[in-house]
Amino acid sequence: MSKLLPVFIFSLIMAYISDKRAHIDFNKFGDKIYRHKEKIFFFLMAVVVIVFVGLRTSYNDTETYRYSYELMPTGMGNILNLDLSLGSNPGFNILNTILKTIGFSTQDFLMIYAVVTVGIYFWFVRKYSDNIWLSVFLFFTMGCYTFTMAAIKQCVAVAFCLVGIDRLLREKKISFVFWILLASTFHPYSLMYLIAPFLMFKPWTNKTYILLAVFGLIGLGIQPLLGTVVDITTMLGEEYDAATFTGEGINIFRLAVVWVPVIVSFFVRKYLREANTKKDNLILNLTILNAEIMFIGLFGTANYFGRLANYFLIFQALCLPHLFNGFTAGSKKLITFLCVFCFLLYFYYANVINQYFDNGFYSISFLSYIRGVVGSI
């Protein structure tokens, strides 16, 4: 983890400074609210985390994406020959054809997607977090950051969906639908976000229990439902069979981590019903949705349902800091300390014990990249 640790530590320091330099106030519940958020230090952090992702040459399925991009033919005329069905990711292929025709290298391809994906992620975190430092910490330790180094199509689709959520929270529903539909051309499962307008209900009401019960039944009955699941994925243009959704389930530690905010929210539900805004309700319900999909993965296959759940993973990093406001000042300090300690343990487990990050991650230096850019001009 020595390759990831410097970026992690630098980001925490920058996020801490940014948080301390922000202008804050307190609402009627005594919770900290931002009046003006600091920009410079947060921007420096964002640049570093973006460049680190963009400089990679290998991690997870990065080599597959590199190889596919290198084999792409150049010429705008090739766009006419692309398969425009949703399952073929037409938006992704059209954009890549344009990039390749203009003359962007394979490393430029990775850097551009890093700028768009990670840039939007951190913009969203800064805009909607109740505690920027803690949200950045959770963004790293829960695996959001390392996931941006893989599954490029899905990650950029999620980024566009976050823009859509921002538009929805600003009551711009047509713009919201536009961004979700755009995201679906990069990865069709983005259409799941169309459920967002129906997830603004207050926490731990009857709707919450119904949601939990439905997903619980789906998880327990996933085997008889495999035929239906395959039919749905086929409609979206994906060619899966029943074997795709069976196999080793979600790692129990990973499952436990994503259920922490759900459990915590239950204990502070009275506070949430009084203090939550529409934004808070949506973030909590999308967090619960993330945990529920992970639960289904316990009975299905980790790779498929884990990636499906990752569509909503970023909301975990926003939800937990807000939930801590439901505790007394003394309890909040203790719980925050326990949170940091436990999530650091999970961060170590995920990147050292379960899958050694340093063995899979390789990159070029920033100077090498700049020389390549200059040399291609």
Side-chain angles (χ1 to χ4, degrees):
M1 197 169 62
S2 60
K3 297 178 182 178
L4 181 61
L5 205 55
V7 180
F8 176 52
I9 294 173
F10 175 81
S11 298
L12 292 184
I13 293 173
M14 291 296 102
Y16 179 80
I17 296 173
S18 182
D19 211 21
K20 289 301 179 182
R21 291 173 63 88
H23 298 162
I24 64 171
D25 204 344
F26 297 89
N27 62 19
K28 65 179 181 179
F29 298 99
D31 305 330
K32 179 180 76 173
I33 55 175
Y34 291 102
R35 292 300 182 193
H36 177 74
K37 294 180 179 178
E38 193 276 336
K39 296 178 180 178
I40 297 176
F41 287 95
F42 193 90
F43 177 76
L44 289 174
M45 175 192 67
V47 169
V48 170
V49 296
I50 288 170
V51 170
F52 183 78
V53 173
L55 292 176
R56 77 192 187 282
T57 57
S58 176
Y59 181 75
N60 200 289
D61 56 2
T62 297
E63 291 184 5
T64 301
Y65 279 102
R66 287 173 59 90
Y67 183 69
S68 297
Y69 184 77
E70 289 168 0
L71 291 180
M72 287 190 70
T74 58
M76 294 299 184
N78 289 299
I79 294 176
L80 300 175
N81 300 322
L82 293 174
D83 184 351
L84 299 181
S85 62
L86 206 57
S88 297
N89 317 117
F92 183 70
N93 292 326
I94 291 172
L95 179 56
N96 291 345
T97 300
I98 294 172
L99 294 177
K100 187 73 179 288
T101 301
I102 292 174
F104 286 107
S105 69
T106 304
Q107 203 62 51
D108 293 331
F109 157 76
L110 294 173
M111 185 63 74
I112 289 169
Y113 277 102
V115 170
V116 174
T117 301
V118 184
I120 291 176
Y121 280 24
F122 274 82
W123 160 78
F124 194 81
V125 167
R126 179 181 178 274
K127 184 169 185 177
Y128 289 109
S129 174
D130 287 352
N131 184 324
I132 289 176
W133 182 87
L134 188 54
S135 287
V136 170
F137 171 82
L138 292 169
F139 186 86
F140 274 88
T141 55
M142 296 194 76
C144 293
Y145 183 59
T146 50
F147 189 65
T148 64
M149 304 175 199
I152 294 176
K153 288 182 293 187
Q154 180 176 341
C155 289
V156 74
V158 172
F160 290 154
C161 287
L162 294 179
V163 178
I165 291 295
D166 172 70
R167 299 300 183 266
L168 177 64
L169 291 172
R170 293 166 58 187
E171 303 292 343
K172 297 181 178 181
K173 295 182 180 180
I174 295 177
S175 182
F176 160 72
V177 173
F178 166 78
W179 281 100
I180 303 306
L181 293 179
L182 176 63
S184 71
T185 67
F186 284 76
H187 204 277
Y189 295 170
S190 304
L191 293 173
M192 291 188 298
Y193 267 85
L194 291 175
I195 197 178
F198 306 101
L199 294 178
M200 294 186 180
F201 53 83
K202 286 188 176 294
W204 295 104
T205 58
N206 289 337
K207 292 180 180 179
T208 306
Y209 293 109
I210 291 172
L211 202 61
L212 289 170
V214 168
F215 276 85
L217 292 173
I218 292 174
L220 296 173
I222 187 65
Q223 296 301 323
L225 291 172
L226 282 180
T228 303
V229 174
V230 171
D231 290 341
I232 293 173
T233 57
T234 301
M235 288 173 59
L236 292 173
E238 302 283 0
E239 296 181 358
Y240 292 138
D241 56 22
T244 307
F245 303 98
T246 57
E248 186 177 355
I250 293 287
N251 182 294
I252 193 65
F253 292 110
R254 187 180 179 190
L255 181 68
V257 164
V258 298
W259 274 88
V260 168
V262 182
I263 295 170
V264 173
S265 70
F266 178 78
F267 288 104
V268 295
R269 61 191 183 279
K270 183 177 180 181
Y271 161 81
L272 297 178
R273 289 168 184 164
E274 296 176 359
N276 264 18
T277 63
K278 180 175 63 176
K279 178 262 293 186
D280 300 323
N281 290 338
L282 180 58
I283 289 175
L284 174 57
N285 288 326
L286 289 173
T287 297
I288 293 175
L289 185 58
N290 167 259
E292 289 170 329
I293 296 173
M294 283 287 195
F295 174 77
I296 295 175
L298 192 64
F299 305 91
T301 178
N303 185 55
Y304 182 82
F305 288 103
R307 287 205 169 189
L308 194 64
N310 279 349
Y311 263 99
F312 309 103
L313 182 60
I314 190 173
F315 296 102
Q316 298 265 355
L318 297 172
C319 183
L320 204 52
H322 173 68
L323 297 179
F324 289 168
N325 292 332
F327 294 92
T328 61
S331 298
K332 184 177 179 179
K333 290 181 180 179
L334 175 61
I335 291 172
T336 302
F337 172 79
L338 291 174
C339 168
V340 170
F341 178 74
C342 292
F343 277 93
L344 277 175
L345 290 180
Y346 176 72
F347 184 59
Y348 179 82
Y349 167 79
N351 294 289
V352 176
I353 298 174
N354 187 52
Q355 184 178 7
Y356 195 59
F357 180 86
D358 287 0
N359 282 349
F361 182 89
Y362 295 94
S363 64
I364 61 172
S365 69
F366 183 67
L367 287 178
S368 296
Y369 176 67
I370 294 299
R371 290 192 195 103
V373 173
V374 173
S376 64
I377 297 176

